[in-house]
Amino acid sequence: MTMRPDSLVSPTLPAGALPGIVAVLGAGTMGQGIAQVAAQNGYRVRIYDAAASRTHEARTNIVAQLEKLVTKGKLTASARERAVECLTIATNLREACAGCNVVIEAAPEDMALKVALFREVLDVAPNALLGSNTSSLSLTELGAKVGAPERVIGLHFFNPPPVMELLEIVRGIATSDETLAHALDLAKHLGKTPIVVRDSPGFATSRLGVLLGAEAIRMLETGVASAADIDRGMELGYRHPMGPLKLTDLVGLDVRLAILEHLHKELGEQFRPPALLRTMVRAGKLGKKTGEGFYVWQDGVAHAK
Ligand code: CAA
């Protein structure tokens, strides 16, 4: 049966009404950014993470980001207040999702974990769109395993979510037309430009993005040039806003490794993770979030090693 999610964002909403409730599951880099974007755009947002301390840290970080926007004159103080009021920390998963219109999981790239999260909330958010921020996993598989394939869809945000314009919407084989329409509506109300992509490994973005990153790591491994010069090449020669190694640091080496491992299994040899990437992840050098990856990071700024 195709389920019609409650209209999250109706153009006929009465003036002043909030457009809906979004639960964000996972308070890491992406979860924080997605929660910020939703709160800034008038949604009530509940953030949940299995590690309670992460939700508190997430809220602090989001409030600081909003404050920065006020200082820069990009957000009014009253808009910041409204966004902050919209943010709630949920202490358990079911409470986070109860009565939501949209549930977005931004948990680590692990199918079993994502399935467990959605399965647990099916009955408390019976009409919600179930959006996954996965970078590479199959939405068709996720929907089937959750047992509500018509409601599951990929909502792939990009880091940093408050800045990046794209929302890659990934449609599983059984995702309903209604769920797709709901996702497109959500994109519009979050101020994102959507692309709609058929479910296939790595979709339209990660499949290309990780390949460039992996090749850059192999070039570093074989001494083609320094990390800074490989990056400078793509920044100045190809006008990428950030070179592939710095971008890998921004995204997280662990995140990139998980995507590569999956695509290697699904699509073949060209996605084999470079040995250097594996070694760095084992050493805990995960990039910006741990202070070191291909660069050393201090106060959000990358310094060549
Ligand atoms: N949160 C909020 N705002 C941020 C931010 C963050 N984490 N990082 C930067 N910004 C803002 C800055 O405050 C600044 O805003 P103003 O213009 O208002 O001052 C603006 O973004 C530009 O930042 P900077 O001037 O510091 O630096 P920059 O011009 O180099 O831009 C960047 C930074 C936006 C990150 C830019 O380098 C960029 O676009 N890099 C590429 C990012 C990218 O490719 N992301 C996709 C990664 S792949 C992914 O996420 C998907 C996946 O599946 C893993």
Side-chain angles (χ1 to χ4, degrees):
M1 190 185 87
T2 298
M3 303 189 76
R4 174 72 179 103
D6 289 349
S7 176
L8 172 66
V9 277
S10 156
T12 57
L13 274 177
L18 292 172
I21 309 174
V22 176
V24 178
L25 311 181
T29 309
M30 295 305 289
Q32 287 180 29
I34 295 166
Q36 181 186 332
V37 171
Q40 270 183 257
N41 286 284
Y43 293 89
R44 276 192 279 151
V45 181
R46 301 187 194 136
I47 318 174
Y48 169 78
D49 196 290
S53 62
R54 295 236 295 189
T55 47
H56 290 278
E57 199 184 308
R59 195 171 188 285
T60 305
N61 290 345
I62 295 170
V63 171
Q65 286 293 341
L66 293 170
E67 190 55 49
K68 259 196 214 167
L69 292 174
V70 174
T71 308
K72 284 185 195 166
K74 297 204 160 185
L75 192 71
T76 63
S78 60
R80 177 203 52 203
E81 283 314 304
R82 273 200 303 279
V84 171
E85 277 166 19
C86 282
L87 280 170
T88 313
I89 290 173
T91 51
N92 78 66
L93 180 55
R94 289 172 64 81
E95 180 191 300
C97 298
C100 278
N101 312 87
V102 174
V103 175
I104 302 175
E105 72 74 22
E109 205 70 333
D110 174 339
M111 177 62 76
L113 175 60
K114 292 175 192 290
V115 170
L117 283 171
F118 281 162
R119 281 185 80 111
E120 196 173 333
V121 302
L122 275 183
D123 63 325
V124 292
N127 298 315
L129 171 157
L130 301 174
S132 171
N133 184 52
T134 179
S135 302
S136 62
L137 300 177
S138 166
L139 280 309
T140 301
E141 182 181 348
L142 180 60
K145 287 184 168 162
V146 165
E150 69 285 351
R151 290 167 58 193
V152 172
I153 197 160
L155 295 178
H156 188 200
F157 290 81
F158 293 81
N159 190 0
V163 178
M164 304 305 283
E165 198 185 328
L166 182 66
L167 181 63
E168 186 177 37
I169 296 178
V170 186
R171 186 171 194 177
I173 198 164
T175 304
S176 69
D177 290 346
E178 288 83 354
T179 298
L180 175 61
H182 192 176
L184 287 165
D185 239 12
L186 179 68
K188 189 168 112 196
H189 284 79
L190 294 180
K192 301 296 178 196
T193 302
I195 57 171
V196 178
V197 177
R198 182 172 62 80
D199 186 26
S200 58
F203 322 132
T205 55
S206 304
R207 184 165 168 175
L208 289 172
V210 297
L211 212 48
L212 191 68
E215 204 52 36
I217 298 168
R218 281 189 267 272
M219 286 160 60
L220 182 67
E221 249 176 341
T222 52
V224 171
S226 67
D229 278 350
I230 291 171
D231 277 349
R232 221 169 272 135
M234 297 313 286
E235 287 160 12
L236 303 183
Y238 279 67
R239 283 215 181 168
H240 288 196
M242 167 183 272
L245 295 167
K246 202 179 284 176
L247 184 58
T248 303
D249 270 8
L250 176 75
V251 168
L253 276 67
D254 52 337
V255 174
R256 279 272 160 111
L257 177 60
I259 299 170
L260 279 167
E261 280 173 336
H262 178 67
L263 296 187
H264 182 224
K265 237 181 356 201
E266 295 278 339
L267 297 174
E269 248 342 85
Q270 73 269 36
F271 290 96
R272 177 183 288 282
L276 176 61
L277 178 62
R278 220 178 264 294
T279 305
M280 289 176 71
V281 170
R282 284 186 183 138
K285 295 180 180 179
L286 306 183
K288 186 179 179 187
K289 63 189 167 190
T290 59
E292 186 179 345
F294 297 106
Y295 293 80
V296 173
W297 291 80
Q298 274 160 351
D299 301 322
V301 178
H303 301 277
K305 293 209 267 186

